[in-house]
Amino acid sequence: MMRVNIVDVICLVSDGNVPVGHEEKAIKQAAMLLDCEKGYTIGRSYQRSAYGGDITYNPFTVKATDPMFIKYMKCIVNSIFAICRNEDDMLWFICINEAVLWTILMMPKRGKYLITTYIDWNQKLAKKQIGRRVRQVLLDKALGKVDLVIATNPHYHVQGNHIHLPDFYLDRQYRQYIRKQKSGVVCVGVMNESQGILEIAKAFRDSGGKIVISGYFRDEEYYQKVRRYSSELVVVENVVLSYEEYIKRIGEAKYVVIPYRDSHVHKTSGVLQETIALNSIPVSFPAFLAYNNAQGITFERYAEIPARIKAYETGGQTVQNDWRAYDYDLVKKKYGQKISELMNTVEKGAKKI
């Protein structure tokens, strides 16, 4: 039997060490894409347990509010090297940044490497003014050690063995949260100042519109500022939603505000994909929706959001997105063969455990 370790070293946690964001779901879905009926031993680091068991978090996890860059880098490097000493037959890094890539480049390779990336690295490095060529060479060398790259960003064209997958998808368990009768406006997820949450709350209060803003605020002081605009119509909650509750709120809402500014334009979004999969209407900046080939209600300034939603209600416009792109059964059918081919090569050289 072979050992497969699904690795996430960029997991955000709350002050109570509760996972925040999509990391827990991403690990579970990575395991789902493997053919677990063959009896693979699935490990998780930071979330290391048997597949299907409880998820536990390594104490090296850096909190979302930790500003110490050196500590952050040290944690990533030390953790990856510790993981590699386990001598797993395959490591699957499901979320990466430059620190992960450079560590992969440095460490000795024992088994197969698989990585998942939502970043368009070619576009990201093209914007760098310092060390761009050196970083590109290092990136190419790091990717040269990887046996399969799963690019969830359709704009990222990778040299070598790769496939494109959506960031997230919904299996039959979550289809129950799609509602034919939808109502209301929500903004859910991890909240921070760069998303203009305060401006959104103010816009809805001033217009008399109704919205529920619910998620983990990484900065308590910022949360208190946003709360000043709360009312009976503007609900502001600082809470870590379970994934079921998060999905339920998206599925019940008619409109989902996704307030990503220009810094997120060249990235994909789990919230956007889940909004489409649950047949709700995304509300976001036009460049962000266009990059992700999605339809929705657009705005240029946060203050415009209530009026744009009202205009949509009365203007006869329709938004149509294809939820099937995020259906688990179709994703597995379309891309499972490529992953199975890699797993077969791993199995042939697997260590006896």
Side-chain angles (χ1 to χ4, degrees):
M1 186 183 297
M2 66 173 145
R3 291 171 56 95
V4 179
N5 193 357
I6 302 173
V7 182
D8 174 16
V9 291
I10 316 179
C11 179
L12 299 180
V13 297
S14 69
D15 292 336
N17 207 37
V18 176
V20 176
H22 284 93
E23 284 81 0
E24 185 174 355
K25 173 178 170 60
I27 284 183
K28 290 180 178 179
Q29 291 200 333
M32 285 169 61
L33 281 176
L34 301 177
D35 187 359
C36 295
E37 293 180 359
K38 290 189 175 182
Y40 304 147
T41 297
I42 307 287
R44 293 163 182 167
S45 305
Y46 289 145
Q47 301 86 331
R48 188 163 183 83
S49 68
Y51 173 59
D54 295 332
I55 295 178
T56 57
Y57 288 82
N58 185 298
F60 282 114
T61 299
V62 180
K63 294 179 180 178
T65 54
D66 195 338
M68 298 177 61
F69 179 72
I70 294 178
K71 177 184 176 182
Y72 172 72
M73 294 290 289
K74 184 179 179 181
C75 284
I76 287 181
V77 173
N78 289 345
S79 297
I80 293 179
F81 271 96
I83 289 165
C84 290
R85 286 196 291 270
N86 293 323
E87 297 188 356
D88 298 297
D89 296 297
M90 187 177 85
L91 293 178
W92 185 346
F93 296 91
I94 64 163
C95 188
I96 65 169
N97 59 13
E98 284 189 83
V100 175
L101 287 173
W102 309 155
T103 307
I104 289 175
L105 181 60
M106 290 187 294
M107 64 188 183
K109 184 177 180 182
R110 292 190 175 95
K112 298 287 186 179
Y113 289 170
L114 190 156
I115 67 170
T116 302
T117 177
Y118 71 96
I119 297 172
D120 182 345
W121 288 96
N122 296 328
Q123 188 276 336
K124 181 180 177 68
L125 293 182
K127 296 193 300 183
K128 300 292 184 182
Q129 299 298 320
I130 301 175
R132 181 172 60 189
R133 290 188 177 182
V134 173
R135 288 171 121 167
Q136 186 65 58
V137 170
L138 292 175
L139 172 66
D140 292 341
K141 286 184 175 293
L143 292 178
K145 295 181 68 174
V146 175
D147 297 280
L148 179 64
V149 176
I150 296 179
T152 63
N153 189 322
H155 299 273
Y156 180 37
H157 301 289
V158 192
Q159 298 295 324
N161 197 22
H162 71 279
I163 57 176
H164 284 93
L165 285 174
D167 279 305
F168 304 104
Y169 35 82
L170 295 185
D171 57 20
R172 293 172 184 171
Q173 176 184 355
Y174 295 108
R175 302 301 300 172
Q176 63 180 303
Y177 294 110
I178 296 179
R179 299 286 185 268
K180 290 184 178 181
Q181 299 298 322
K182 294 173 174 285
S183 63
V185 184
V186 300
C187 181
V188 293
V190 179
M191 307 294 176
N192 56 65
E193 190 169 354
S194 67
Q195 296 169 332
I197 304 300
L198 188 148
E199 291 91 335
I200 293 171
K202 182 178 184 299
F204 276 86
R205 189 201 66 174
D206 292 349
S207 68
K210 185 176 181 179
I211 187 173
V212 175
I213 299 172
S214 183
Y216 175 62
F217 282 78
R218 299 168 67 170
D219 185 330
E220 176 65 24
E221 183 178 348
Y222 183 65
Y223 166 62
Q224 293 301 332
K225 290 180 180 179
V226 177
R227 273 194 65 196
R228 295 172 189 169
Y229 295 99
S230 63
S231 66
E232 290 185 3
L233 297 179
V234 180
V235 178
V236 181
E237 300 174 321
N238 185 12
V239 61
V240 178
L241 298 172
S242 68
Y243 188 71
E244 285 74 16
E245 181 62 25
Y246 163 84
I247 284 292
K248 181 181 178 182
R249 295 197 182 195
I250 293 176
E252 292 176 345
K254 186 173 182 178
Y255 306 102
V256 179
V257 178
I258 308 171
Y260 293 145
R261 300 186 197 257
D262 292 344
S263 61
H264 204 95
V265 164
H266 295 100
K267 299 176 183 177
T268 56
S269 164
V271 180
L272 174 62
Q273 294 180 7
E274 287 155 338
T275 297
I276 294 172
L278 291 165
N279 204 28
S280 297
I281 299 174
V283 183
S284 192
F285 290 101
F288 172 72
L289 291 178
Y291 185 81
N292 285 277
N293 195 30
Q295 294 184 18
I297 298 173
T298 62
F299 58 88
E300 296 293 347
R301 296 181 300 112
Y302 295 119
E304 301 172 354
I305 295 176
R308 292 298 177 91
I309 291 176
K310 185 176 181 180
Y312 178 85
E313 290 276 314
T314 59
Q317 178 189 357
T318 58
V319 168
Q320 292 184 329
N321 290 301
D322 187 4
W323 63 267
R324 293 174 299 177
Y326 310 113
D327 180 79
Y328 169 73
D329 292 329
L330 296 178
V331 168
K332 175 84 172 181
K333 182 178 180 180
K334 187 173 181 180
Y335 299 106
Q337 182 61 34
K338 194 76 172 182
I339 296 177
S340 295
E341 289 173 2
L342 176 63
M343 297 305 297
N344 288 335
T345 65
V346 174
E347 189 173 27
K348 291 178 181 178
K351 306 173 185 66
K352 300 295 184 181
I353 59 173

